[in-house]
Amino acid sequence: MDKKTPNIQDVARVAGVSSATVSRAISNPSMVSDATREAVFEAIAKTGYHINIMARNLRRQRTGAIVVLVPNLGNPFFSLILAGIEQVAAPAGFSVLIVDTRQPHADENQIFTYLHNTRADGLIILDGTLPQDLLERRAAVLPPVVFACEWIEGSDFSRVVIDNSAGAAIAVRHLHELGHRHIGHVMGPMANVLTKTRLHGTRAALEELGLPFVPEWFLTGDFSLQSGAEAARRWLALEKRPTGVFCASDQMACGFISELSKVGFSVPRDVSVVGFDDIEIGRHFIPALTTIHQPRRKIGAKAAAMLIDRINGEGSVAVSEEKFAVRLVMRQSAAPPL
Amino acid sequence: MDKKTPNIQDVARVAGVSSATVSRAISNPSMVSDATREAVFEAIAKTGYHINIMARNLRRQRTGAIVVLVPNLGNPFFSLILAGIEQVAAPAGFSVLIVDTRQPHADENQIFTYLHNTRADGLIILDGTLPQDLLERRAAVLPPVVFACEWIEGSDFSRVVIDNSAGAAIAVRHLHELGHRHIGHVMGPMANVLTKTRLHGTRAALEELGLPFVPEWFLTGDFSLQSGAEAARRWLALEKRPTGVFCASDQMACGFISELSKVGFSVPRDVSVVGFDDIEIGRHFIPALTTIHQPRRKIGAKAAAMLIDRINGEGSVAVSEEKFAVRLVMRQSAAPPL
DNA sequence: CTGAAAGCGCTTACAG
DNA sequence: CTGAAAGCGCTTACAG
């Protein structure tokens, strides 16, 4: 009863054909006669055979795996992106393999060694802070790469992104339409592309609307709840405070509002806040968050689809960019100034 | 310049040794003389060799992969669990492969087919709703399994869990200590073990404290924000309302509080709420959530460690259970009744 | 439509 | 300490 897992030879023996025929019946049924096919499938059922994917992959010189490089698995922002990736990859026959690039054990060399060893068929990178030179130097030995959400400026990898600049501008214009003339911005970390593009959109909108750019009103965070709370403390310490604040992430917006509430400030009564991302909690926050929606699941799904096309040699080889539109979701955290 | 990726033979040729020796120098350096080892590593550097992991795994009859079955990748609750798993698995040389068991493409047969084909070395299951009979029927052909967070009642797989019953009891006792004598409970879905154990702890505490169990005050949800909001509507419709409510997840607690705020009810003024999980947003919610903390990252890390021990034949073969303690985190959402 | 044979890139007893 | 050889379980030209 404790026999080894059956292999293709066992099936062949039971079916009375060669292992080549079994292989064909499995992966290319139309190459085989009806009778043979039936016999093979019967033998598969009888033996309880399951293909050994490693052997197939070794032979076919592919891995059937996509590696996703996540900057911080603990950050729930990425969960829906991962869900989108999985949703497309799994039915297409690809395993999804995740690597947290910010783990202590994961210095760059280890990540690349891992990638080389693993020989993934493709790579989805959600971390725009990987060193460009390293990536480009290895481009020749890396499988196809698609960036999603983040990317590396000046390097040409395909990517699936949103219009961050437009999103920021929409947020600022919304505050302006509500009547705000003094607008500040809680930013992500300066090294992040998203920070730069959203900052760019913010400043462009300010200029377009004839509003002043006041450097003291631009506070640096890191997209986290904590950093939003810290920004609130700096906002409180300001001599003259903006009446409208655009936060570059919903998490920072929540942290910001929460911290203000501790000292009796209320949103949107004392200051209007617009977030970015449209994470689920936003709708249930108090006040419900006005924010810029980005389609996280779709971004993941599109990145996976794009990558798989490339792996299968379908999509063009040229570097391409898919840019999703964003939209304003009006809720309660932004209102006309008193 | 477009040569194939170098293999172990290429290295052997350059180093002037046999491929067997190269293999030994890589995986068991002490079996090889100093001089040889150096020559081999030089040749590896010169050729840019990276091991082909599929070939190794095929030969060694292992996969180097752990599969994690996640009930819903889109639910941020799981992100920290995954981070904990990755944190332990990656340094130990295991790839982490994720599968979303609630995707439309993922019916049970497909999941098991995938598991068979993939031949993972081990399995971490975060979904307690997989059919027990199916699992047990396949136990013989499945790799080692560790459940985390959830589990299947009456089946004996190893697991890493928290003391759900004690957690619920702590929540109820806290409400009681604050002075609440009318206590309700927003539950998860009835099919979920967590729902049953937390319900059990809740009722046990009620009894212990001599408080009444009022069935109308026990509202069913599904752990989500939305379902918390729905529970709030049912709570509002109650003839006589409990003054303290224990929600079986922080997400439901947030949804509950948020929905109440829409009709002018304030927490903890009009009702006290205690959550469960201690997700990050809780600390920044308004009011900050009083809740039961569970160590999600540790749970993931422990599950991975336990599984890897078993894979490596270290830990005992016996089924084991690791149960983490939980603790009350007092914040603002629960207070004495008016 | 089918089979015999070679080979994907490793590892590991076995022999020396 | 090292090498020759077999073999992990598939797939795929090649030949018929």
Side-chain angles (χ1 to χ4, degrees):
Chain A
M1 264 326 260
D2 62 344
K3 313 192 52 178
K4 292 206 55 75
T5 41
N7 62 22
I8 209 169
Q9 308 282 357
D10 299 321
V11 177
R13 203 170 308 119
V14 172
V17 297
S18 73
S19 62
T21 298
V22 175
S23 175
R24 289 192 194 101
I26 293 169
S27 38
N28 213 337
S30 66
M31 283 183 72
V32 143
S33 78
D34 292 3
T36 308
R37 199 184 317 125
E38 267 178 46
V40 168
F41 285 134
E42 235 170 71
I44 287 177
K46 196 177 302 175
T47 54
Y49 171 74
H50 284 275
I51 197 170
N52 181 319
I53 218 79
M54 282 183 307
R56 165 183 279 182
N57 288 343
L58 173 59
R59 180 53 227 246
R60 285 194 177 164
Q61 299 282 72
R62 66 195 291 279
T63 68
I66 288 175
V67 171
V68 184
L69 262 33
V70 188
N72 178 4
L73 252 182
N75 181 343
F77 174 84
F78 295 107
S79 56
L80 261 188
I81 311 260
L82 284 177
I85 291 172
E86 214 266 351
Q87 175 182 335
V88 167
F94 287 89
S95 299
V96 178
L97 234 136
I98 51 174
V99 177
D100 192 328
T101 58
R102 301 280 167 81
Q103 294 274 320
H105 63 260
D107 70 40
E108 280 118 25
N109 277 316
Q110 276 169 308
I111 292 172
F112 283 107
T113 299
Y114 177 80
L115 290 176
H116 284 136
N117 288 349
T118 291
R119 304 268 171 92
D121 294 334
L123 204 50
I124 295 177
I125 307 184
L126 306 179
D127 180 350
T129 65
L130 291 181
Q132 175 174 7
D133 56 326
L134 242 180
L135 255 176
E136 290 185 339
R137 192 151 14 97
R138 313 243 185 175
V141 292
L142 282 181
V145 171
V146 171
F147 274 82
C149 295
E150 303 190 3
W151 68 95
I152 298 179
E153 285 172 296
S155 77
D156 52 7
F157 292 101
S158 290
R159 60 192 190 217
V160 179
V161 297
I162 55 162
D163 196 333
N164 289 284
S165 177
I170 291 169
V172 171
R173 275 189 226 113
H174 179 58
L175 287 167
H176 176 262
E177 269 165 31
L178 289 170
H180 295 276
R181 296 296 176 265
H182 304 166
I183 295 177
H185 181 33
V186 179
M187 306 180 287
M190 285 315 293
N192 191 298
V193 248
L194 302 178
T195 302
K196 292 175 203 160
T197 46
R198 291 175 195 175
L199 174 57
H200 178 264
T202 301
R203 294 198 55 176
L206 250 27
E207 191 160 340
E208 160 200 321
L209 299 166
L211 261 31
F213 163 63
V214 183
E216 303 84 69
W217 294 350
F218 281 59
L219 308 166
T220 303
D222 63 7
F223 295 130
S224 74
L225 283 159
Q226 283 299 348
S227 75
E230 280 159 31
R233 274 175 246 126
R234 279 177 274 140
W235 181 87
L236 285 165
L238 249 26
E239 198 130 321
K240 178 164 166 60
R241 305 186 189 112
T243 63
V245 173
F246 163 48
C247 294
S249 79
D250 280 356
Q251 300 223 56
M252 292 198 292
C254 290
F256 188 87
I257 295 172
S258 166
E259 188 69 16
L260 291 187
S261 82
K262 290 188 187 158
V263 295
F265 278 67
S266 169
V267 172
R269 190 193 62 201
D270 301 307
V271 53
S272 279
V273 174
V274 178
F276 202 108
D277 289 342
D278 195 17
I279 60 176
E280 222 195 339
I281 188 74
R283 170 193 304 273
H284 299 277
F285 203 69
I286 305 171
L289 227 55
T290 291
T291 190
I292 304 296
H293 174 83
Q294 66 167 312
R296 291 186 290 148
R297 183 184 283 273
K298 272 190 198 158
I299 292 169
K302 181 68 193 176
M306 209 153 150
L307 182 63
I308 290 171
D309 276 358
R310 196 139 317 191
I311 290 171
N312 293 336
E314 286 160 17
S316 75
V317 190
V319 169
S320 70
E321 182 189 65
E322 173 85 22
K323 194 177 253 180
F324 281 101
V326 296
R327 61 186 165 75
L328 178 69
V329 180
M330 271 187 271
R331 290 198 280 246
Q332 267 76 60
S333 64
L338 286 188
Chain B
M1 267 324 260
D2 62 342
K3 313 191 54 178
K4 291 205 58 73
T5 39
N7 62 21
I8 209 169
Q9 307 283 357
D10 299 321
V11 177
R13 204 171 307 121
V14 171
V17 297
S18 75
S19 62
T21 298
V22 174
S23 175
R24 290 193 193 100
I26 293 170
S27 38
N28 213 338
S30 66
M31 284 185 70
V32 143
S33 78
D34 292 4
T36 307
R37 199 183 319 123
E38 267 179 43
V40 168
F41 285 134
E42 235 169 70
I44 287 176
K46 195 178 300 175
T47 53
Y49 171 76
H50 284 274
I51 196 170
N52 181 319
I53 218 78
M54 282 182 306
R56 165 182 280 183
N57 289 344
L58 174 60
R59 181 51 228 246
R60 286 193 176 166
Q61 299 284 70
R62 66 194 293 277
T63 67
I66 287 175
V67 171
V68 184
L69 262 33
V70 188
N72 178 4
L73 253 181
N75 182 343
F77 173 84
F78 295 106
S79 54
L80 262 188
I81 310 260
L82 285 176
I85 292 173
E86 213 266 351
Q87 176 183 332
V88 167
F94 287 89
S95 300
V96 178
L97 235 136
I98 52 174
V99 176
D100 192 328
T101 57
R102 301 281 167 83
Q103 294 275 322
H105 63 260
D107 70 42
E108 281 118 26
N109 277 316
Q110 276 169 309
I111 292 172
F112 283 105
T113 299
Y114 176 81
L115 290 176
H116 284 137
N117 289 348
T118 292
R119 305 267 169 92
D121 294 334
L123 204 50
I124 295 178
I125 306 185
L126 306 179
D127 181 350
T129 66
L130 292 181
Q132 174 175 4
D133 56 323
L134 241 180
L135 256 176
E136 290 186 338
R137 195 153 9 100
R138 313 243 187 177
V141 291
L142 283 180
V145 171
V146 172
F147 274 81
C149 295
E150 303 189 3
W151 68 96
I152 297 180
E153 285 171 295
S155 78
D156 52 6
F157 292 100
S158 289
R159 59 192 191 215
V160 178
V161 298
I162 56 164
D163 195 333
N164 288 285
S165 178
I170 292 169
V172 170
R173 277 189 224 111
H174 178 59
L175 287 167
H176 177 261
E177 269 164 33
L178 289 170
H180 295 275
R181 296 296 176 262
H182 304 167
I183 296 178
H185 181 33
V186 179
M187 307 179 286
M190 285 316 294
N192 191 297
V193 248
L194 303 178
T195 301
K196 292 174 202 161
T197 47
R198 292 177 193 171
L199 174 57
H200 178 264
T202 301
R203 294 198 56 176
L206 249 26
E207 192 160 341
E208 159 200 324
L209 299 166
L211 263 30
F213 163 63
V214 183
E216 302 85 69
W217 294 350
F218 282 59
L219 307 166
T220 303
D222 62 7
F223 295 130
S224 73
L225 284 160
Q226 283 300 346
S227 74
E230 278 159 32
R233 272 175 248 127
R234 277 176 277 140
W235 181 87
L236 284 166
L238 248 27
E239 199 131 319
K240 178 166 166 58
R241 304 186 190 114
T243 63
V245 173
F246 162 48
C247 294
S249 79
D250 281 356
Q251 298 224 56
M252 291 197 292
C254 290
F256 188 87
I257 296 172
S258 165
E259 188 69 15
L260 290 187
S261 83
K262 290 189 188 156
V263 294
F265 278 67
S266 169
V267 172
R269 190 193 62 201
D270 301 307
V271 54
S272 280
V273 174
V274 178
F276 202 108
D277 289 343
D278 195 17
I279 60 176
E280 223 195 339
I281 188 75
R283 170 192 305 272
H284 298 276
F285 202 70
I286 305 172
L289 227 54
T290 290
T291 190
I292 303 296
H293 174 82
Q294 66 167 311
R296 291 186 289 149
R297 183 185 283 272
K298 273 190 198 157
I299 291 170
K302 181 67 193 173
M306 209 152 152
L307 182 63
I308 290 171
D309 276 356
R310 195 137 319 191
I311 290 171
N312 294 336
E314 284 159 20
S316 75
V317 190
V319 169
S320 69
E321 182 189 64
E322 172 85 22
K323 194 177 253 181
F324 282 102
V326 297
R327 61 184 164 76
L328 177 70
V329 181
M330 270 186 271
R331 289 197 282 245
Q332 267 76 58
S333 62
L338 287 187

